[in-house]
Every structure is written in C-alpha cells, then in structure tokens.
Amino acid sequence: MLRHPPAPKRTAPTHRVAAATIAVAMLAAAGAAPAAPGPAGEPDTTDLQRWVEASAAAAWTAGQDDAGGHAAAAKAAPVRIEVRLGSLGGRPRLPACARFEPFVPPSARLWGPSHIGVRCVEGGSWTMMVPVTVSVYGPALVADRPLAAGAAADPDSFRIDQVDLTAARGAPVADPAQLAGRALARPLRAGEPLRAQDLRVLQTVAAGDPVRIRLVGPGFTVSSDGFALAGAGEGQSLRVRTGTGRLLVGTVHDRVVEVKL
C-alpha cells in the first residue's frame, strides 16, 4: 500500500501557497512597499527573501491556472517554497539609497537557479542583479525499490513523498489512479520520482488477437467479431478487420474495440 512519510523537519524558512501570500506578492510586484535599506544602505536580505517567496508563490499558482485551472488541485496538495539568496558581498559600493524596489527581470523565472533585480527608488539611481535559487516541494510518487522497465506500474511499488519539482525533468506523478493500465517505460531507482513520461499504456491486445467490435451509431449498437491489426492498450486507437474483411478504427475498452459511426 502507498505509505505517506511523517511530516519532514524544516531546516529552512518555508511557506505554503496561500491567499495572503499571493496578495503580498501582487502588492510587491506592483511596486508597493519598497524594501527598506539594510546596513550601509544595502538592501535588507530578509525583506528580499520574503518578497521572492511571495512572488514565487504567486507565480506557481498563476502557472497552475494557466495550465488548465488546477487551482483546486494545488490547494488539495499544497506545495512549499524555499528560497536561497545569493551573496550581496563583493560588489562595488553603490551610492546611498533610502528605499529599494525588487523586481523580476523579463528574462528571469522564479524556478530553480535564477535572479531578481533590485533598483533604488529613493536617494540614488542604480540597479543590481541578485542570484536566487527557488525550490518548490510538492507530493509525488517515489519508487519504493528498484523497478525494471516494462513492469506493471503497481501502486504498492510506490510511496508518496515530497520532491523538489524544480529539479525534476518532467512532471512528477502524484495521483496513484494514473497508474491504472500503465507499465514503466524505463527502469527506476529506489527513491526516484515517477514522471508522466516514465509511463506507457500496458498492451492488452496484440496483433492478430481476436477482438470484439462494437459499432456505435445514433440510437443503435451492433457487435461483431474481428481481428486486431496491431497491438494496443486501454484507451488507445486500434485498427481492426471484421469477419467480412472491412477495415475499421476504434478505441480499446476492456479488449472490446468501440467504433463510433
């Protein structure tokens, strides 16, 4: 059975996506509440950290909505965001500044290694870039043991764990229901997250297999026997030949090929 690990100990500041956080991000992105100066007129790193965390949370939520309105799913399985700011040391001394305004450059994305801009809006006229690393942790299915390519994607072979989504090369799978009728397209190491591209449809019909063909039209259904002309799995398209030699294309459902007329 799928196992859920105990809540991890947090060793760095973390923030869940929340409406209040998003509101702060929107205000900051609009230029409100510029950051106060730190020692010797430099940007305060605590304020910058909070601004990046809020902006990254807003960007994550906006990205979920743009990808298909998955805001509800994001709330059901919240992510946490960790931000690491690069050093501000070793820079030429800049003119004194009373207030700063952080911003995300057009070429930057708050995802993994990136950077933000900081401009002086009172007392000086300069802009500098600050390196940042944004990690987004969310739930994903992780292999409980080494798994071979071609093996059935059995939910009992996985556990749900928190993984860094910014480090994953592809979209991790978090819903065990997506494993139904699927096999592994490549081997997985123990502890490795499962990605959508690691799954393939498990073939249930091979070329030459006898199949049942269901013809579905407006107000009627007709069934007959035939043969598969290729291999296919659940939900995939398949070419078949009827007993009279007619070629048809339908969709596989429980070894029945449904052809819509």
Side-chain angles (χ1 to χ4, degrees):
M1 297 177 62
L2 287 172
R3 296 185 288 105
H4 295 257
K9 295 182 179 180
R10 295 183 178 180
T11 57
T14 61
H15 293 263
R16 291 182 181 274
V17 176
T21 304
I22 297 169
V24 172
M26 296 308 182
L27 288 174
E42 295 180 354
D44 183 88
T45 55
T46 301
D47 285 346
L48 286 181
Q49 173 112 2
R50 291 172 179 167
W51 184 89
V52 176
E53 288 168 350
S55 299
W60 164 262
T61 301
Q64 293 298 292
D65 289 337
D66 292 344
H70 295 176
K75 291 179 182 178
V79 300
R80 79 175 191 272
I81 294 174
E82 295 182 1
V83 171
R84 295 185 299 277
L85 287 180
S87 173
L88 299 181
R91 301 173 182 272
R93 182 172 293 277
L94 297 170
C97 185
R99 289 192 304 162
F100 304 92
E101 180 182 79
F103 64 94
V104 180
S107 60
R109 181 184 178 213
L110 296 181
W111 187 263
S114 187
H115 60 279
I116 62 168
V118 179
R119 63 169 67 94
C120 180
V121 295
E122 184 178 323
S125 180
W126 49 261
T127 300
M128 69 175 179
M129 296 292 121
V130 179
V132 299
T133 301
V134 178
S135 297
V136 179
Y137 291 89
L141 294 176
V142 174
D144 246 350
R145 60 180 185 275
L147 300 173
D154 183 356
D156 289 343
S157 299
F158 296 88
R159 67 179 187 273
I160 296 179
D161 209 343
Q162 294 286 313
V163 303
D164 184 358
L165 303 178
T166 68
R169 296 183 179 179
V173 176
D175 185 2
Q178 296 183 31
L179 305 185
R182 299 294 189 271
L184 297 179
R186 68 177 184 90
L188 292 179
R189 303 184 303 275
E192 186 174 2
L194 176 69
R195 306 168 303 166
Q197 60 264 42
D198 296 334
L199 296 173
R200 62 175 177 81
V201 176
L202 193 62
Q203 182 173 299
T204 57
V205 178
D209 280 357
V211 293
R212 191 68 176 167
I213 303 171
R214 181 184 297 131
L215 305 177
V216 179
F220 72 90
T221 300
V222 178
S223 296
S224 65
D225 293 325
F227 293 90
L229 298 181
E234 186 70 16
Q236 289 188 316
S237 179
L238 177 65
R239 294 178 69 242
V240 295
R241 186 189 301 274
T242 68
T244 60
R246 184 180 178 187
L247 297 179
L248 299 171
V249 177
T251 304
V252 178
H253 295 295
D254 294 329
R255 292 186 59 85
V256 174
V257 180
E258 185 174 288
V259 180
K260 293 185 178 180
L261 301 178

